[in-house]
Coordinates of all heavy atoms in Angstrom, one line a residue:
I48 N -5.6 0.8 35.8 CA -4.7 0.7 34.6 C -5.3 1.6 33.5 O -6.5 1.5 33.1 CB -4.5 -0.7 34.0 CG1 -3.9 -1.6 35.1 CG2 -3.7 -0.7 32.8 CD1 -3.9 -3.1 34.8
C49 N -4.4 2.5 33.0 CA -4.9 3.4 32.0 C -5.0 2.7 30.6 O -4.0 2.1 30.2 CB -3.9 4.6 31.8 SG -4.4 5.8 30.5
L50 N -6.2 2.6 30.1 CA -6.4 1.9 28.8 C -6.8 2.9 27.7 O -7.6 3.8 28.0 CB -7.5 0.8 29.0 CG -7.2 -0.2 29.9 CD1 -8.5 -1.2 30.0 CD2 -6.0 -1.1 29.4
F51 N -6.3 2.8 26.6 CA -6.7 3.6 25.5 C -8.2 3.2 25.1 O -8.5 2.0 25.0 CB -5.8 3.4 24.2 CG -6.0 4.5 23.2 CD1 -5.4 5.7 23.4 CD2 -6.7 4.3 22.1 CE1 -5.6 6.7 22.5 CE2 -6.9 5.3 21.1 CZ -6.3 6.5 21.3
P52 N -9.1 4.2 25.1 CA -10.5 3.8 24.9 C -10.8 3.2 23.5 O -10.2 3.6 22.5 CB -11.2 5.2 25.0 CG -10.2 6.1 25.5 CD -8.9 5.6 25.2
A53 N -11.7 2.3 23.4 CA -12.2 1.7 22.2 C -12.6 2.8 21.2 O -12.3 2.8 20.0 CB -13.3 0.7 22.4
T54 N -13.2 3.8 21.7 CA -13.7 4.9 20.8 C -12.5 5.7 20.3 O -12.6 6.4 19.3 CB -14.7 5.8 21.6 OG1 -14.1 6.3 22.8 CG2 -16.0 5.1 21.9
G55 N -11.4 5.8 21.0 CA -10.2 6.4 20.6 C -9.7 5.7 19.3 O -9.2 6.5 18.4
Y56 N -9.8 4.5 19.2 CA -9.3 3.7 18.0 C -10.2 4.2 16.9 O -9.7 4.4 15.7 CB -9.4 2.2 18.2 CG -8.6 1.6 19.2 CD1 -9.1 0.8 20.2 CD2 -7.2 1.9 19.3 CE1 -8.3 0.2 21.2 CE2 -6.4 1.3 20.3 CZ -7.0 0.5 21.2 OH -6.2 -0.1 22.2
L57 N -11.5 4.3 17.1 CA -12.4 4.6 16.0 C -12.1 6.0 15.5 O -12.1 6.3 14.3 CB -13.9 4.5 16.4 CG -14.3 3.1 16.8 CD1 -15.8 3.1 17.3 CD2 -14.1 2.1 15.7
V58 N -11.8 7.0 16.4 CA -11.5 8.3 16.0 C -10.2 8.4 15.3 O -10.1 9.2 14.3 CB -11.5 9.3 17.3 CG1 -11.0 10.7 16.9 CG2 -12.9 9.4 17.8
L59 N -9.2 7.6 15.6 CA -7.9 7.6 14.8 C -8.2 7.1 13.4 O -7.6 7.7 12.5 CB -6.9 6.7 15.6 CG -6.4 7.2 16.9 CD1 -5.4 6.2 17.4 CD2 -5.8 8.6 16.8
V60 N -9.0 6.1 13.3 CA -9.4 5.6 11.9 C -10.2 6.7 11.2 O -9.9 6.9 10.0 CB -10.2 4.3 12.0 CG1 -10.7 3.9 10.6 CG2 -9.3 3.2 12.6
W61 N -11.1 7.3 11.8 CA -11.9 8.4 11.3 C -11.0 9.5 10.7 O -11.2 10.0 9.6 CB -12.9 8.9 12.3 CG -13.9 9.9 11.9 CD1 -14.2 10.4 10.6 CD2 -14.9 10.5 12.8 NE1 -15.2 11.2 10.7 CE2 -15.7 11.4 12.0 CE3 -15.1 10.4 14.1 CZ2 -16.6 12.2 12.6 CZ3 -16.1 11.2 14.7 CH2 -16.9 12.1 13.9
K62 N -10.0 9.9 11.6 CA -9.1 11.0 11.2 C -8.3 10.6 10.0 O -8.1 11.4 9.0 CB -8.1 11.3 12.4 CG -8.7 12.1 13.5 CD -7.7 12.4 14.5 CE -8.3 13.2 15.6 NZ -7.3 13.6 16.7
T63 N -7.8 9.3 9.9 CA -7.0 8.9 8.8 C -7.8 8.8 7.5 O -7.4 9.2 6.5 CB -6.5 7.4 9.1 OG1 -5.7 7.5 10.3 CG2 -5.6 7.0 8.0
F64 N -9.1 8.3 7.7 CA -10.0 8.2 6.5 C -10.3 9.6 5.9 O -10.4 9.8 4.7 CB -11.3 7.5 7.0 CG -12.2 7.1 5.9 CD1 -11.9 6.1 5.0 CD2 -13.4 7.8 5.8 CE1 -12.8 5.7 4.0 CE2 -14.3 7.4 4.8 CZ -14.0 6.4 3.9
A65 N -10.5 10.5 6.8 CA -10.8 11.9 6.4 C -9.7 12.5 5.6 O -9.8 13.1 4.5 CB -11.2 12.8 7.6
K66 N -8.4 12.2 6.1 CA -7.2 12.7 5.3 C -7.2 12.1 3.9 O -6.8 12.7 3.0 CB -6.0 12.4 6.1 CG -5.7 13.2 7.3 CD -4.4 12.8 8.0 CE -4.2 13.6 9.2 NZ -3.0 13.2 9.9
L67 N -7.5 10.8 3.8 CA -7.5 10.1 2.5 C -8.5 10.7 1.6 O -8.3 10.7 0.4 CB -7.8 8.6 2.7 CG -6.8 7.8 3.5 CD1 -7.3 6.4 3.7 CD2 -5.5 7.8 2.7
H68 N -9.6 11.3 2.2 CA -10.6 11.9 1.3 C -10.5 13.4 1.3 O -11.4 14.2 0.9 CB -12.0 11.5 1.8 CG -12.3 10.1 1.5 ND1 -12.8 9.6 0.3 CD2 -12.1 8.9 2.3 CE1 -12.9 8.3 0.4 NE2 -12.5 7.9 1.5
H69 N -9.3 13.9 1.6 CA -8.9 15.3 1.5 C -9.8 16.3 2.4 O -10.0 17.4 2.0 CB -8.9 15.8 0.1 CG -8.2 14.9 -0.9 ND1 -6.8 14.8 -0.8 CD2 -8.6 14.0 -1.8 CE1 -6.4 13.9 -1.7 NE2 -7.5 13.4 -2.3
Y70 N -10.2 15.8 3.6 CA -10.8 16.6 4.5 C -9.8 17.1 5.5 O -9.1 16.3 6.1 CB -11.9 15.9 5.3 CG -13.2 15.7 4.5 CD1 -13.3 14.7 3.6 CD2 -14.3 16.6 4.8 CE1 -14.5 14.6 2.8 CE2 -15.5 16.4 4.1 CZ -15.6 15.4 3.1 OH -16.7 15.3 2.4
E71 N -9.7 18.4 5.7 CA -8.8 19.0 6.7 C -9.3 18.7 8.1 O -8.5 18.5 9.1 CB -8.5 20.4 6.5 CG -7.7 20.7 5.3 CD -7.4 22.2 5.1 OE1 -7.3 22.9 6.2 OE2 -7.3 22.7 4.0
D72 N -10.6 18.7 8.4 CA -11.2 18.5 9.6 C -12.1 17.2 9.5 O -13.1 17.2 8.9 CB -12.0 19.7 10.0 CG -12.6 19.6 11.4 OD1 -12.6 18.5 12.1 OD2 -13.2 20.6 11.9
F73 N -11.7 16.2 10.2 CA -12.4 14.9 10.2 C -13.8 15.0 10.6 O -14.7 14.3 10.1 CB -11.7 13.9 11.0 CG -11.8 14.0 12.5 CD1 -12.8 13.3 13.2 CD2 -11.0 14.9 13.2 CE1 -12.9 13.4 14.6 CE2 -11.2 15.0 14.6 CZ -12.1 14.3 15.3
R74 N -14.1 16.0 11.4 CA -15.5 16.1 11.9 C -16.5 16.6 10.9 O -17.7 16.5 11.1 CB -15.5 17.1 13.1 CG -14.7 16.7 14.3 CD -14.4 17.7 15.3 NE -13.7 18.8 14.7 CZ -13.2 19.8 15.4 NH1 -13.4 20.0 16.7 NH2 -12.5 20.8 14.8
Q75 N -15.9 17.0 9.7 CA -16.8 17.4 8.6 C -17.2 16.2 7.7 O -18.0 16.4 6.8 CB -16.2 18.5 7.8 CG -15.9 19.8 8.6 CD -17.1 20.4 9.2 OE1 -18.1 20.5 8.5 NE2 -17.1 20.7 10.5
L76 N -16.7 15.0 8.0 CA -17.0 13.9 7.2 C -17.8 12.9 8.0 O -17.3 12.3 9.0 CB -15.7 13.2 6.7 CG -15.9 12.0 5.9 CD1 -16.6 12.2 4.6 CD2 -14.5 11.4 5.6
A77 N -19.0 12.7 7.7 CA -19.9 11.6 8.4 C -19.4 10.3 7.9 O -19.3 10.0 6.7 CB -21.4 11.9 8.1
V78 N -19.2 9.3 8.9 CA -18.7 8.0 8.5 C -19.6 7.0 9.1 O -20.3 7.2 10.1 CB -17.3 7.8 8.9 CG1 -16.3 8.7 8.2 CG2 -17.1 8.0 10.4
L79 N -19.5 5.8 8.6 CA -20.1 4.6 9.1 C -19.1 3.5 9.4 O -18.3 3.2 8.5 CB -21.2 4.1 8.1 CG -21.9 2.8 8.3 CD1 -22.8 2.9 9.5 CD2 -22.6 2.3 7.1
F80 N -19.1 3.0 10.6 CA -18.2 1.9 11.0 C -19.0 0.6 10.9 O -20.2 0.6 11.4 CB -17.7 2.1 12.4 CG -16.6 3.1 12.4 CD1 -16.9 4.4 12.9 CD2 -15.3 2.9 12.1 CE1 -15.9 5.4 12.9 CE2 -14.3 3.8 12.2 CZ -14.6 5.1 12.6
E81 N -18.4 -0.4 10.4 CA -19.0 -1.8 10.4 C -18.0 -2.8 10.8 O -16.8 -2.7 10.6 CB -19.6 -2.1 9.0 CG -20.6 -1.1 8.5 CD -21.0 -1.4 7.0 OE1 -20.2 -1.1 6.1 OE2 -22.1 -1.9 6.8
N82 N -18.6 -3.9 11.4 CA -17.8 -5.1 11.7 C -16.5 -4.8 12.5 O -15.5 -5.4 12.2 CB -17.4 -5.9 10.4 CG -18.6 -6.3 9.7 OD1 -19.7 -6.7 10.2 ND2 -18.5 -6.2 8.3
V83 N -16.6 -3.9 13.4 CA -15.4 -3.5 14.2 C -15.1 -4.6 15.2 O -16.0 -5.0 16.0 CB -15.6 -2.1 14.9 CG1 -14.4 -1.8 15.9 CG2 -15.8 -1.0 13.9
Q84 N -13.9 -5.0 15.2 CA -13.4 -6.0 16.2 C -12.2 -5.4 17.0 O -11.2 -5.1 16.3 CB -13.0 -7.3 15.6 CG -14.2 -8.0 14.8 CD -15.2 -8.6 15.7 OE1 -14.9 -9.2 16.7 NE2 -16.5 -8.4 15.4
I85 N -12.3 -5.4 18.2 CA -11.2 -5.0 19.1 C -10.7 -6.1 19.9 O -11.4 -6.8 20.5 CB -11.7 -3.8 20.0 CG1 -12.2 -2.6 19.1 CG2 -10.5 -3.3 20.9 CD1 -12.8 -1.5 19.9
S86 N -9.4 -6.3 19.9 CA -8.8 -7.4 20.6 C -9.1 -7.4 22.1 O -9.2 -6.2 22.7 CB -7.3 -7.5 20.4 OG -6.6 -6.4 21.1
A87 N -9.3 -8.5 22.7 CA -9.6 -8.6 24.1 C -8.6 -8.0 25.0 O -8.9 -7.5 26.1 CB -9.9 -10.0 24.4
T88 N -7.4 -8.1 24.6 CA -6.3 -7.6 25.4 C -6.2 -6.0 25.5 O -5.7 -5.5 26.5 CB -4.9 -8.1 24.9 OG1 -4.7 -7.6 23.7 CG2 -4.9 -9.6 25.0
G89 N -6.7 -5.4 24.6 CA -6.7 -3.9 24.6 C -5.2 -3.4 24.5 O -4.3 -4.1 24.1
C90 N -5.1 -2.1 24.7 CA -3.7 -1.5 24.6 C -3.5 -0.7 25.9 O -4.2 0.3 26.1 CB -3.6 -0.7 23.4 SG -2.1 0.2 23.2
K91 N -2.6 -1.1 26.7 CA -2.3 -0.3 27.9 C -1.4 0.9 27.4 O -0.4 0.7 26.8 CB -1.6 -1.2 28.9 CG -2.4 -2.3 29.4 CD -1.7 -3.2 30.4 CE -2.5 -4.3 30.8 NZ -1.8 -5.3 31.6

Side-chain angles (χ1 to χ4, degrees):
I48 299 170
C49 181
L50 296 176
F51 195 78
T54 56
Y56 297 130
L57 298 180
V58 170
L59 294 179
V60 171
W61 186 6
K62 286 180 175 183
T63 303
F64 189 72
K66 285 180 186 176
L67 294 174
H68 290 277
H69 309 291
Y70 281 81
E71 289 184 32
D72 184 350
F73 74 99
R74 297 170 296 187
Q75 298 303 312
L76 179 62
V78 295
L79 173 67
F80 286 97
E81 299 175 287
N82 303 321
V83 175
Q84 299 290 318
I85 300 173
S86 69
T88 60
C90 177
K91 296 177 185 173

